[in-house]
mmCIF file of all heavy atoms in Angstrom:
data_model
loop_
_atom_site.group_PDB
_atom_site.id
_atom_site.type_symbol
_atom_site.label_atom_id
_atom_site.label_comp_id
_atom_site.label_asym_id
_atom_site.label_seq_id
_atom_site.Cartn_x
_atom_site.Cartn_y
_atom_site.Cartn_z
ATOM 1 N N ARG A 516 -2.012 -4.632 -14.967
ATOM 2 C CA ARG A 516 -2.731 -4.735 -16.268
ATOM 3 C C ARG A 516 -3.799 -5.880 -16.199
ATOM 4 O O ARG A 516 -4.892 -5.713 -16.678
ATOM 5 C CB ARG A 516 -1.743 -5.063 -17.369
ATOM 6 C CG ARG A 516 -0.850 -3.862 -17.700
ATOM 7 C CD ARG A 516 0.092 -4.209 -18.853
ATOM 8 N NE ARG A 516 1.022 -3.109 -19.019
ATOM 9 C CZ ARG A 516 1.932 -3.133 -20.035
ATOM 10 N NH1 ARG A 516 2.010 -4.148 -20.863
ATOM 11 N NH2 ARG A 516 2.706 -2.111 -20.191
ATOM 12 N N ILE A 517 -3.440 -6.969 -15.563
ATOM 13 C CA ILE A 517 -4.372 -8.097 -15.365
ATOM 14 C C ILE A 517 -5.617 -7.645 -14.610
ATOM 15 O O ILE A 517 -6.719 -7.945 -14.995
ATOM 16 C CB ILE A 517 -3.688 -9.276 -14.747
ATOM 17 C CG1 ILE A 517 -2.684 -9.940 -15.698
ATOM 18 C CG2 ILE A 517 -4.717 -10.310 -14.308
ATOM 19 C CD1 ILE A 517 -1.768 -10.889 -15.103
ATOM 20 N N SER A 518 -5.344 -6.880 -13.588
ATOM 21 C CA SER A 518 -6.472 -6.406 -12.741
ATOM 22 C C SER A 518 -7.343 -5.418 -13.518
ATOM 23 O O SER A 518 -8.656 -5.604 -13.431
ATOM 24 C CB SER A 518 -5.918 -5.629 -11.493
ATOM 25 O OG SER A 518 -5.172 -6.521 -10.714
ATOM 26 N N HIS A 519 -6.839 -4.563 -14.333
ATOM 27 C CA HIS A 519 -7.639 -3.713 -15.168
ATOM 28 C C HIS A 519 -8.449 -4.535 -16.141
ATOM 29 O O HIS A 519 -9.636 -4.227 -16.418
ATOM 30 C CB HIS A 519 -6.814 -2.713 -15.941
ATOM 31 C CG HIS A 519 -6.420 -1.478 -15.103
ATOM 32 N ND1 HIS A 519 -7.404 -0.641 -14.476
ATOM 33 C CD2 HIS A 519 -5.247 -0.953 -14.805
ATOM 34 C CE1 HIS A 519 -6.767 0.326 -13.845
ATOM 35 N NE2 HIS A 519 -5.423 0.127 -14.019
ATOM 36 N N LYS A 520 -7.814 -5.568 -16.717
ATOM 37 C CA LYS A 520 -8.533 -6.393 -17.742
ATOM 38 C C LYS A 520 -9.640 -7.167 -17.080
ATOM 39 O O LYS A 520 -10.687 -7.366 -17.685
ATOM 40 C CB LYS A 520 -7.533 -7.334 -18.476
ATOM 41 C CG LYS A 520 -6.663 -6.560 -19.461
ATOM 42 C CD LYS A 520 -5.820 -7.487 -20.227
ATOM 43 C CE LYS A 520 -4.949 -6.680 -21.228
ATOM 44 N NZ LYS A 520 -4.417 -7.460 -22.237
ATOM 45 N N LYS A 521 -9.433 -7.684 -15.905
ATOM 46 C CA LYS A 521 -10.492 -8.402 -15.168
ATOM 47 C C LYS A 521 -11.613 -7.457 -14.917
ATOM 48 O O LYS A 521 -12.789 -7.924 -15.029
ATOM 49 C CB LYS A 521 -9.934 -8.973 -13.898
ATOM 50 C CG LYS A 521 -9.030 -10.228 -14.123
ATOM 51 C CD LYS A 521 -8.678 -10.931 -12.929
ATOM 52 C CE LYS A 521 -9.800 -11.778 -12.297
ATOM 53 N NZ LYS A 521 -10.265 -12.918 -13.031
ATOM 54 N N ALA A 522 -11.365 -6.260 -14.489
ATOM 55 C CA ALA A 522 -12.464 -5.291 -14.261
ATOM 56 C C ALA A 522 -13.249 -5.018 -15.525
ATOM 57 O O ALA A 522 -14.468 -5.006 -15.520
ATOM 58 C CB ALA A 522 -11.829 -3.970 -13.754
ATOM 59 N N GLU A 523 -12.528 -4.867 -16.659
ATOM 60 C CA GLU A 523 -13.219 -4.643 -17.905
ATOM 61 C C GLU A 523 -14.105 -5.811 -18.283
ATOM 62 O O GLU A 523 -15.252 -5.576 -18.690
ATOM 63 C CB GLU A 523 -12.107 -4.376 -18.939
ATOM 64 C CG GLU A 523 -12.674 -3.996 -20.326
ATOM 65 C CD GLU A 523 -11.566 -3.784 -21.330
ATOM 66 O OE1 GLU A 523 -10.537 -3.247 -20.964
ATOM 67 O OE2 GLU A 523 -11.784 -4.121 -22.524
ATOM 68 N N LYS A 524 -13.591 -7.015 -18.186
ATOM 69 C CA LYS A 524 -14.374 -8.215 -18.449
ATOM 70 C C LYS A 524 -15.631 -8.278 -17.553
ATOM 71 O O LYS A 524 -16.689 -8.642 -18.017
ATOM 72 C CB LYS A 524 -13.544 -9.485 -18.357
ATOM 73 C CG LYS A 524 -12.551 -9.631 -19.493
ATOM 74 C CD LYS A 524 -11.759 -10.915 -19.280
ATOM 75 C CE LYS A 524 -10.665 -11.043 -20.370
ATOM 76 N NZ LYS A 524 -9.847 -12.251 -20.120
ATOM 77 N N LEU A 525 -15.437 -8.024 -16.301
ATOM 78 C CA LEU A 525 -16.549 -8.084 -15.331
ATOM 79 C C LEU A 525 -17.608 -7.089 -15.757
ATOM 80 O O LEU A 525 -18.839 -7.335 -15.690
ATOM 81 C CB LEU A 525 -16.084 -7.860 -13.902
ATOM 82 C CG LEU A 525 -15.376 -9.071 -13.252
ATOM 83 C CD1 LEU A 525 -14.604 -8.660 -12.062
ATOM 84 C CD2 LEU A 525 -16.361 -10.143 -12.915
ATOM 85 N N ARG A 526 -17.155 -5.919 -16.119
ATOM 86 C CA ARG A 526 -18.090 -4.840 -16.548
ATOM 87 C C ARG A 526 -18.833 -5.249 -17.859
ATOM 88 O O ARG A 526 -20.088 -5.104 -17.944
ATOM 89 C CB ARG A 526 -17.322 -3.557 -16.781
ATOM 90 C CG ARG A 526 -17.587 -2.537 -15.762
ATOM 91 C CD ARG A 526 -16.941 -1.241 -16.056
ATOM 92 N NE ARG A 526 -16.566 -0.669 -14.735
ATOM 93 C CZ ARG A 526 -15.348 -0.792 -14.243
ATOM 94 N NH1 ARG A 526 -14.313 -1.252 -14.945
ATOM 95 N NH2 ARG A 526 -15.100 -0.300 -13.034
ATOM 96 N N ASN A 527 -18.069 -5.605 -18.822
ATOM 97 C CA ASN A 527 -18.605 -5.794 -20.156
ATOM 98 C C ASN A 527 -19.329 -7.140 -20.392
ATOM 99 O O ASN A 527 -20.330 -7.156 -21.118
ATOM 100 C CB ASN A 527 -17.504 -5.640 -21.228
ATOM 101 C CG ASN A 527 -16.926 -4.267 -21.234
ATOM 102 O OD1 ASN A 527 -17.652 -3.282 -20.899
ATOM 103 N ND2 ASN A 527 -15.688 -4.157 -21.605
ATOM 104 N N HIS A 528 -18.842 -8.149 -19.749
ATOM 105 C CA HIS A 528 -19.423 -9.508 -20.065
ATOM 106 C C HIS A 528 -20.321 -9.972 -18.950
ATOM 107 O O HIS A 528 -21.268 -10.738 -19.256
ATOM 108 C CB HIS A 528 -18.242 -10.526 -20.257
ATOM 109 C CG HIS A 528 -17.412 -10.246 -21.413
ATOM 110 N ND1 HIS A 528 -17.840 -10.127 -22.759
ATOM 111 C CD2 HIS A 528 -16.129 -9.865 -21.514
ATOM 112 C CE1 HIS A 528 -16.876 -9.832 -23.563
ATOM 113 N NE2 HIS A 528 -15.753 -9.660 -22.814
ATOM 114 N N TRP A 529 -20.098 -9.623 -17.711
ATOM 115 C CA TRP A 529 -20.899 -10.110 -16.600
ATOM 116 C C TRP A 529 -21.807 -9.015 -16.003
ATOM 117 O O TRP A 529 -22.543 -9.304 -15.118
ATOM 118 C CB TRP A 529 -20.004 -10.702 -15.529
ATOM 119 C CG TRP A 529 -19.228 -11.869 -16.069
ATOM 120 C CD1 TRP A 529 -17.899 -11.880 -16.470
ATOM 121 C CD2 TRP A 529 -19.711 -13.202 -16.227
ATOM 122 N NE1 TRP A 529 -17.585 -13.117 -16.937
ATOM 123 C CE2 TRP A 529 -18.687 -13.956 -16.801
ATOM 124 C CE3 TRP A 529 -20.950 -13.829 -16.025
ATOM 125 C CZ2 TRP A 529 -18.742 -15.320 -17.114
ATOM 126 C CZ3 TRP A 529 -21.079 -15.106 -16.327
ATOM 127 C CH2 TRP A 529 -20.023 -15.870 -16.830
ATOM 128 N N LYS A 530 -21.617 -7.745 -16.391
ATOM 129 C CA LYS A 530 -22.387 -6.616 -15.877
ATOM 130 C C LYS A 530 -22.291 -6.588 -14.380
ATOM 131 O O LYS A 530 -23.228 -6.248 -13.636
ATOM 132 C CB LYS A 530 -23.850 -6.733 -16.327
ATOM 133 C CG LYS A 530 -24.104 -6.871 -17.784
ATOM 134 C CD LYS A 530 -23.465 -5.739 -18.568
ATOM 135 C CE LYS A 530 -23.718 -5.919 -20.065
ATOM 136 N NZ LYS A 530 -22.769 -5.296 -20.914
#
Side-chain angles (χ1 to χ4, degrees):
R516 290 181 186 184
I517 289 167
S518 297
H519 278 303
K520 286 184 181 200
K521 287 189 73 67
E523 185 179 323
K524 286 180 185 177
L525 285 163
R526 250 184 216 101
N527 296 333
H528 299 298
W529 298 100
K530 308 301 181 208

